[in-house]
Amino acid sequence: MEGNTRYMTSPRSRLRPKSAAKAVTLALGLFLAASPLQAQDTELPNIGGAGGGLISGQQESEIGEQVMVSIRRSAPRITDPLVFDYLTAITYQLVPSAPLQERDLTLALIDSPAINAFAVPGGIVGVNGGLFLNATTEQQFASVLAHELAHLSQRHFARRLEQQETSAPLTIAGMIAGIVLSAVTQSDLGIAAIAGTQALAVQNMLAYSRAHEQEADRVGLDILASAGMDPDGMPEMFEIMMRQNRLQGNRPPEYLSTHPLTQSRVADTRNRAEQYPERAVRDSKEFHLVRSRLQVRYAASADIAVETFKAYLDRDDTGRNEAVRYGLAVAYQENNQPEKAIALLEELLRQNPGRITFQVTLADVLTGQKRAQEARTLLEDALARNPENYPIMHSLAEAELADGNGAAAAEILTQLTRMLPGQENLWLRLAEAEGMARNIVGVHRARAEYDALMGNLEAAQRQLRQAQEKLPAGSPQRQVVTERLAEITRRLNVQRRG
């Protein structure tokens, strides 16, 4: 990302969390059972494979798709392109160092201030917004992602199921989805989903989780070190979670205690981290900008967010900190003080020409003030320097929609849906843009893709049939719609056959 400078953090330091979280659960360890390996080991077991073992790679993919449908339907999501873009960037910074068989991941960004992350078969990695709040360095944040990638790389889920000799992937998917929803929604939604399945006994699945956690710790440390990050981030993050758990004064329900965390495990991870060469690693500026953005999101009110960041600026050690000034600008934006937000953002841009986060945020404020032409000029210049950048393109589409230019917005959103076809919010926005442009066929097609992602194949089928009826026979567009309709119908028939 252009202008993505980095600044120094002290190695081997212990840092305090900035805010409390509602839960101390890092991931879905219900499926974890293996012997701990030594930190020096580099050869990893080859567990299963496409077509091998009880749960094949194809079956894991099907499970992942079903879980994502449940998450889209029931879990609150963060659709902020700046946050999602950062999460994608940091995850794929780690992926080349992870021993994954399949590196095409699906990221789920959950709108919750609790500390949580999870890994699901089929390459699903989920992160709560609260992880940004409680990780005070990028190294700590990345350590959680590395831990989840380690679970995926070791196929802990498949290994546990092979021991249990369990059954149908779609039944399993229902159970996993229930566990995920219970963790991320803090409600009974997930419990109901679990009760509606006939999968394994949860208590039996929990029995072996500690050994897999140790393995994921070891592999995760290797991932961090190989990716050029500080392995000390992992024990630091564990210590933060331990402190948060003590502050809460209670423990999560046993069926959600997916990553058992003890003092001995923290000590073991710190000892392992110390075996790596000591290094001074710089956090990316982007992590702290995104963290400030989410601190505003989870503040009790916009007024409180403004006062909090103003208080930060009054401190000698943070008065010139760009992440703090950016947080204040976002707080002003949320508090309906756009001129103050614009002044701060323009100052930040003068000091950081080309910083995408500042450009996009300023453009969003301008769009909100009905200054769409200024926003468009800013964003088009940014896009010329950063082709196909998701946050820039999304912000430009929003500017076009605000200015009544449905066709221009639809053109941009069509490109985005090709780049990120699994983002259901983009398909909804595209349907709105096509409606503004009076392209009824485009509305039906976009709605069909949204419905398919939400698991409502019958609705998707209806939308595509309506689009098909409105297109002339033999036209290329009708052929495309017909082919997509055939695919949706095939999937629907498979679903009905169970």
Side-chain angles (χ1 to χ4, degrees):
M1 190 172 288
E2 185 173 340
N4 191 16
T5 58
R6 305 170 81 89
Y7 62 88
M8 185 73 72
T9 57
S10 299
R12 313 294 188 215
S13 61
R14 297 194 176 196
L15 300 168
R16 287 180 233 170
K18 298 293 184 184
S19 60
K22 293 182 181 177
V24 185
T25 55
L26 265 182
L28 296 176
L30 295 174
F31 327 109
L32 313 181
S35 298
L37 305 177
Q38 297 301 311
Q40 292 82 4
D41 294 343
T42 56
E43 292 299 318
L44 302 176
N46 183 14
I47 304 300
L54 180 68
I55 303 297
S56 70
Q58 177 59 35
Q59 288 173 318
E60 286 193 359
S61 178
E62 291 171 1
I63 290 169
E65 289 178 8
Q66 292 297 316
V67 171
M68 276 306 300
V69 166
S70 294
I71 290 173
R72 291 186 185 110
R73 284 177 169 178
S74 302
R77 308 273 297 289
I78 297 174
T79 58
D80 185 331
L82 287 169
V83 181
F84 186 84
D85 197 55
Y86 169 78
L87 179 61
T88 302
I90 189 65
T91 301
Y92 280 94
Q93 182 178 336
L94 297 170
V95 162
S97 300
L100 292 162
Q101 294 181 5
E102 176 56 61
R103 299 190 172 190
D104 186 13
L105 305 177
T106 299
L107 302 181
L109 189 51
I110 307 300
D111 193 1
S112 167
I115 300 178
N116 200 17
F118 56 88
V120 174
I124 311 299
V125 176
V127 172
N128 278 22
L131 187 60
F132 287 92
L133 303 185
N134 290 276
T136 58
T137 72
E138 188 172 42
Q139 316 308 308
Q140 295 165 5
F141 183 87
S143 76
V144 179
L145 293 174
H147 186 96
E148 299 312 316
L149 293 177
H151 280 311
L152 288 179
S153 73
Q154 297 306 286
R155 297 192 68 204
H156 286 158
F157 173 74
R159 290 159 68 178
R160 184 61 184 137
L161 290 181
E162 288 189 6
Q163 288 189 350
Q164 294 287 329
E165 296 183 357
T166 191
S167 57
L170 292 183
T171 301
I172 296 163
M175 184 178 184
I176 299 173
I179 295 163
V180 173
L181 293 176
S182 292
V184 303
T185 64
Q186 303 289 304
S187 73
D188 293 335
L189 283 170
I191 297 172
I194 294 171
T197 67
Q198 297 178 5
L200 305 172
V202 177
Q203 294 300 322
N204 289 339
M205 296 295 281
L206 281 168
Y208 300 95
S209 60
R210 186 163 300 173
H212 265 162
E213 287 303 282
Q214 290 175 324
E215 185 177 33
D217 291 345
R218 180 191 68 78
V219 176
L221 289 169
D222 283 345
I223 292 170
L224 286 171
S226 178
M229 306 199 80
D230 189 352
D232 265 354
M234 186 175 289
E236 288 175 2
M237 192 68 219
F238 286 169
E239 287 168 354
I240 287 172
M241 290 188 289
M242 291 287 284
R243 287 196 293 270
Q244 294 294 348
N245 201 33
R246 287 193 294 268
L247 286 173
Q248 286 177 203
N250 56 22
R251 296 178 58 192
E254 191 61 30
Y255 55 84
L256 292 180
S257 299
T258 57
H259 279 52
L261 188 58
T262 63
Q263 288 289 359
S264 61
R265 182 177 162 208
V266 175
D268 179 66
T269 306
R270 180 163 290 285
N271 289 336
R272 289 179 181 271
E274 291 292 341
Q275 296 176 26
Y276 295 88
E278 188 167 342
R279 63 180 74 184
V281 182
R282 297 172 182 266
D283 280 358
S284 72
K285 184 183 294 184
E286 204 61 34
F287 168 76
H288 292 279
L289 296 179
V290 169
R291 186 168 183 267
S292 290
R293 194 170 178 86
L294 287 172
Q295 284 177 313
V296 174
R297 184 185 190 94
Y298 292 120
S301 69
D303 279 339
I304 290 174
V306 169
E307 294 307 314
T308 299
F309 278 97
K310 286 172 70 174
Y312 286 160
L313 284 178
D314 289 339
R315 289 167 40 182
D316 292 339
D317 58 334
T318 60
R320 298 298 298 169
N321 188 303
E322 289 174 346
V324 174
R325 288 189 286 150
Y326 175 69
L328 180 57
V330 176
Y332 280 141
Q333 178 187 13
E334 292 298 311
N335 202 40
N336 295 316
Q337 295 175 276
E339 293 309 319
K340 290 184 176 181
I342 289 169
L344 261 177
L345 290 165
E346 287 178 339
E347 179 187 1
L348 286 166
L349 264 178
R350 283 193 295 271
Q351 296 166 357
N352 300 265
R355 170 64 63 175
I356 292 171
T357 299
F358 298 155
Q359 292 171 320
V360 167
T361 307
L362 176 57
D364 289 345
V365 179
L366 292 171
T367 297
Q369 291 304 108
K370 302 188 184 303
R371 295 163 63 178
Q373 182 53 51
E374 293 175 64
R376 185 184 295 112
T377 299
L378 173 63
L379 292 167
E380 287 176 346
D381 180 65
L383 193 59
R385 297 171 180 271
N386 304 275
E388 297 188 344
N389 178 271
Y390 172 34
I392 297 172
M393 292 177 69
H394 187 276
S395 187
L396 183 56
E398 291 299 316
E400 297 291 8
L401 279 170
D403 208 27
N405 298 322
E411 183 178 351
I412 297 167
L413 288 163
T414 297
Q415 295 178 58
L416 286 177
T417 55
R418 289 172 183 157
M419 292 162 52
L420 298 164
Q423 294 290 96
E424 73 278 7
N425 57 294
L426 294 179
W427 290 107
L428 270 185
R429 211 64 176 134
L430 176 57
E432 183 176 343
E434 295 285 25
M436 185 180 290
R438 300 186 182 280
N439 179 5
I440 304 306
V441 170
V443 172
H444 288 310
R445 292 182 64 183
R447 284 290 314 192
E449 297 304 326
Y450 170 80
D451 288 333
L453 286 172
M454 301 301 288
N456 193 344
L457 298 181
E458 291 183 351
Q461 186 185 60
R462 286 195 300 271
Q463 292 287 349
L464 289 169
R465 282 175 175 163
Q466 291 179 63
Q468 188 183 52
E469 291 169 359
K470 291 177 172 61
L471 291 166
S475 66
Q477 193 176 9
R478 180 171 177 136
Q479 180 62 30
V480 171
V481 170
T482 300
E483 290 174 1
R484 183 58 174 154
L485 176 59
E487 169 61 18
I488 292 293
T489 300
R490 183 194 66 78
R491 289 171 54 189
L492 183 57
N493 290 336
V494 170
Q495 185 182 85
R496 285 170 174 168
R497 288 196 298 267

